Amino acid sequence: MSERELSIQDVRHIAKLSRLAPDDATVESMRSALSSILGHIAKLSTIDVAGVEPMAHPLALSNRLAADEPGATLPIELVLLNAPAKVDRYLAVPKVLDEGGA
Amino acid sequence: MNTQAHTCTGLHEIAAQVRAGASTASSRVEACLARISDRGTALHAFNEVHADEARAAATRIDASIKRGENPGALAGVILAIKDNIATTQGHTTCSSRFLENYRSPFDASVIQRLQSQGAILIGKTNLDEFAMGSSTENSAFGATRNPWDQTRVPGGSSGGSAAAVSAGFCDAALGSDTGGSIRQPASLCGCVGFKPTYGRISRYGLVAFGSSLDQIGPFAKDVRGCAELFEAMAGRDTLDSTTVDLPVPDCCTQLDEPLRGLRIGVPREYRTDANAPSVARALDEAIAAYKSMGATIVDVELPLTDVGISTYYVIAPAEASSNLARFDGIRYGHRATLEAGEGLEDLYAKSRSQGFGPEVQRRIMLGTYVLSSGYYDAYYNRALQVRRRIREEFDHAFTKCDVLLGPTSPIPAFEIGGKKDPWAMYLCDVYTVNTNIAGIPGISLNTSYAQEGNSTLPIGMQLQGPAFSEALLLRAARMLERTMPPSYPA
């Protein structure tokens, strides 16, 4: 983890992976802010972690399965009240497939 | 600032008076609404005040008492709810443009539990957008101001809840704590804020930020109020598979009984030059208070304390980048208008860029980067290894002491606009992030004051305990509270 200055291309790539569409000014301010934060985070590389098991979670979790019994669900009409666009009882989205399928 | 001494009688006592007819839920709601009407706009603690709904709930509770029924242990207790906790009452916005018009079709489990015991919700409180911040300045709807000095921040991210409790807009409030977001604003606003052990309280209905770090917890004017709300909310919930299957401890019965032979650990890493002189003095006062009560002060070491922020700013953004992927403009929330030729991918990216503020976008990108191909091992995996070492340091410290004492925040409330650099803001949480990284409980309570110019500013001390030690931790906090009784803006 060497300290590294992100490039404009790096930031555009991260933005794409993040599903964000920053304008040019935002890309530059983001480049500077993220580079600075990554510089601070580089401190982690000074800590001896040889042989240490990563800890993703504070609890020793095991899978829990709920009983396979149908229960009450939220009414579709209520859930769809928040939909930005809908057709009948369905969410409306831009066309995903080309004519004839993709 | 005119202040009023607070009598630490908790919330059950309020409910007992309501049930006994010495007070009514309706008159209590009106008293809170009057205070909100007086100072609410200036402080901007609330995103939304639910006057009609609170009045209606109070009328129902008063009527049920008249019929001889018992509406519960929290009958007529008035709560403010952080606006990232789902309520069917009003909106749930996370102080984000993205969710400005979102109405939750369900209540969070904690809301169901509290309302079933007679609690009344008076409104949704302001926060840093999606709980990302330490000052509540990152709200899309404007900053919250500190009730002790309106030119200063209340802390964050649960700044609205902390300000609402300290200003007397409610009896108590709920917040969420991912890296200090309950304890730090409690410290800066002079109230009590409690983050329980990870897994104690259901997160169902809490809008997820860092799923291995997030925990809902209470704000109250006294330790007893926090203990009562904790008990009311805690316990296994089938809707959150990370809630633990342990009995909820009795934290209230023996709360006022001082602990004998208490060992207070003071990590040397909690005494640094970063602490304001007033904060360093407050720590000395708290140590002296515990000594006078017969506690033993133990020197302990937590050498990884200052690596916590670096660890946190890998793990929390990584989890956030994944959690916030759900905000795509399809099912709910903001949807951008597309130009000709644009498709689904453009819809996601434009909606998110328009709906999220700068700090949220920064953290999503940081999290995406540390999880991306080529950087995962260097950043994310390494942070998880450091995380285990931090947890082991706490475990080791707790072999020498029962609880850890230190400042909650290195500084009292700072000026609005006073911290422009993100990293400088992140450092506000140097003493609180490791609690979440280790998953242990922590509580902040006001013990002292700083005089800055004409302002009197509260200073909070933090106690941390081993996982699931809430009963002990609250009792230790109550000991300190008795020697340094709180007061609030009149």
Side-chain angles (χ1 to χ4, degrees):
Chain A
M1 191 196 307
S2 57
E3 284 189 38
R4 82 183 272 262
E5 191 81 1
L6 295 177
S7 68
I8 291 290
Q9 289 72 25
D10 289 332
V11 176
R12 289 199 192 284
H13 176 62
I14 304 166
K16 184 171 166 23
L17 295 176
S18 304
R19 299 287 188 274
L20 291 168
D23 58 27
D24 290 347
T26 308
V27 167
E28 177 46 39
S29 66
M30 202 62 92
R31 192 195 64 75
S32 149
L34 291 178
S35 297
S36 164
I37 293 168
L38 289 169
H40 290 291
I41 286 174
K43 195 171 190 173
L44 286 178
S45 64
T46 64
I47 309 300
D48 178 14
V49 292
V52 178
E53 185 72 15
M55 175 178 154
H57 204 272
L59 300 174
L61 290 177
S62 55
N63 274 340
R64 269 193 182 128
L65 299 178
D68 189 14
E69 291 161 4
T73 57
L74 293 170
I76 286 181
E77 293 71 23
L78 195 59
V79 173
L80 282 177
L81 286 179
N82 286 302
K86 60 192 165 192
V87 176
D88 299 328
R89 294 173 78 239
Y90 302 97
L91 294 163
V93 297
K95 195 164 69 172
V96 181
L97 303 177
D98 291 332
E99 299 295 335
Chain B
M1 169 70 56
N2 290 325
T3 61
Q4 196 166 12
H6 172 71
T7 313
C8 299
T9 47
L11 304 169
H12 287 174
E13 178 60 27
I14 292 172
Q17 303 237 340
V18 170
R19 288 197 306 266
S23 167
T24 64
S26 295
S27 66
R28 305 198 74 258
V29 166
E30 293 308 325
C32 285
L33 290 173
R35 284 188 75 96
I36 294 169
S37 159
D38 190 29
R39 290 193 78 193
T41 308
L43 295 181
H44 191 216
F46 288 97
N47 283 340
E48 204 169 62
V49 177
H50 300 154
D52 293 344
E53 296 90 336
R55 284 180 171 128
T59 304
R60 284 196 300 274
I61 285 166
D62 288 334
S64 101
I65 291 168
K66 275 199 175 145
R67 289 195 300 271
E69 297 162 7
N70 179 359
L74 297 171
V77 169
I78 295 161
L79 301 180
I81 308 297
K82 188 178 183 180
D83 205 10
N84 63 346
I85 297 175
T87 55
T88 52
Q89 181 174 308
H91 293 84
T92 299
T93 70
C94 295
S95 289
S96 178
R97 289 280 169 221
F98 198 98
L99 292 176
E100 195 168 4
N101 299 309
Y102 179 75
R103 282 182 178 273
S104 174
F106 62 93
D107 282 307
S109 293
V110 291
I111 298 297
Q112 292 187 25
R113 290 186 183 193
L114 294 169
Q115 284 186 319
S116 73
Q117 294 176 52
I120 296 169
L121 313 187
I122 199 152
K124 301 298 286 286
T125 56
N126 199 10
L127 63 147
D128 288 295
E129 186 178 359
F130 287 103
M132 296 178 186
S134 307
S135 68
T136 317
E137 292 169 293
N138 290 337
S139 166
F141 309 134
T144 296
R145 291 167 182 273
N146 192 306
W148 292 84
D149 177 347
Q150 292 184 22
T151 68
R152 292 172 190 263
V153 303
S157 67
S158 315
S161 286
V165 168
S166 290
F169 296 161
C170 52
D171 296 314
L174 296 191
S176 63
D177 191 315
T178 306
S181 280
I182 290 175
R183 292 159 288 151
Q184 186 256 13
S187 175
L188 270 50
C189 289
C191 56
V192 186
F194 180 36
K195 184 205 95 74
T197 308
Y198 183 90
R200 273 289 198 200
I201 292 181
S202 171
R203 292 179 294 114
Y204 179 72
L206 171 66
V207 178
F209 163 11
S211 300
S212 79
L213 306 160
D214 294 340
Q215 184 67 132
I216 291 176
F219 288 92
K221 289 187 173 180
D222 46 46
V223 174
R224 179 166 290 278
C226 280
E228 290 164 346
L229 281 184
F230 165 71
E231 281 189 31
M233 293 189 286
R236 171 103 174 92
D237 177 16
T238 52
L239 297 172
D240 174 2
S241 63
T242 61
T243 49
V244 293
D245 231 339
L246 292 172
V248 178
D250 175 355
C251 299
C252 296
T253 309
Q254 292 184 295
L255 186 67
D256 288 327
E257 291 177 30
L259 290 151
R260 284 164 203 257
L262 182 66
R263 296 169 303 163
I264 303 277
V266 182
R268 70 177 54 165
E269 293 78 10
Y270 289 6
R271 296 179 176 280
T272 71
D273 294 343
N275 291 345
S278 57
V279 172
R281 196 186 62 240
L283 175 58
D284 290 336
E285 289 166 5
I287 290 169
Y290 273 119
K291 275 187 185 165
S292 75
M293 291 179 277
T296 309
I297 306 298
V298 186
D299 287 327
V300 295
E301 290 183 10
L302 293 173
L304 293 173
T305 296
D306 71 343
V307 189
I309 295 289
S310 297
T311 310
Y312 180 84
Y313 278 96
V314 173
I315 297 172
E319 295 186 7
S321 72
S322 172
N323 273 322
L324 271 63
R326 76 194 63 192
F327 300 107
D328 55 9
I330 299 293
R331 292 151 298 162
Y332 48 80
H334 175 72
R335 182 183 286 196
T337 307
L338 292 185
E339 311 284 332
E342 291 182 325
L344 195 59
E345 295 264 336
D346 302 296
L347 180 69
Y348 299 148
K350 282 179 80 172
S351 300
R352 289 160 62 80
S353 285
Q354 291 171 6
F356 292 149
E359 180 64 21
V360 173
Q361 297 197 36
R362 202 150 46 223
R363 295 207 197 181
I364 289 173
M365 291 184 67
L366 183 59
T368 302
Y369 179 72
V370 300
L371 290 175
S372 65
S373 175
Y375 302 101
Y376 182 96
D377 281 332
Y379 289 100
Y380 184 65
N381 209 47
R382 177 168 278 267
L384 295 186
Q385 289 176 302
V386 177
R387 182 179 197 176
R388 183 171 301 281
R389 286 206 47 202
I390 289 171
R391 171 66 184 247
E392 287 169 353
E393 271 191 8
F394 275 114
D395 290 345
H396 183 66
F398 287 128
T399 63
K400 297 180 176 170
C401 64
D402 302 307
V403 295
L404 293 165
L405 169 70
T408 310
S409 162
I411 50 170
F414 47 94
E415 303 272 346
I416 288 175
K419 291 198 186 289
K420 301 259 187 259
D421 173 49
W423 196 260
M425 184 72 84
Y426 298 169
L427 288 176
C428 293
D429 296 327
V430 62
Y431 298 131
T432 51
V433 288
N434 285 348
T435 324
N436 303 72
I437 286 170
I440 60 176
I443 186 167
S444 175
L445 68 160
N446 177 222
T447 62
S448 188
Y449 296 92
Q451 204 61 44
E452 293 198 8
N454 290 327
S455 293
T456 303
L457 302 173
I459 297 172
M461 283 295 127
Q462 174 175 241
L463 292 169
Q464 299 169 94
F468 307 111
S469 69
E470 283 88 354
L472 176 96
L473 187 63
L474 289 159
R475 249 172 104 181
R478 175 63 186 137
M479 287 169 71
L480 192 55
E481 182 180 59
R482 284 160 75 106
T483 66
M484 298 165 166
S487 42
Y488 290 96

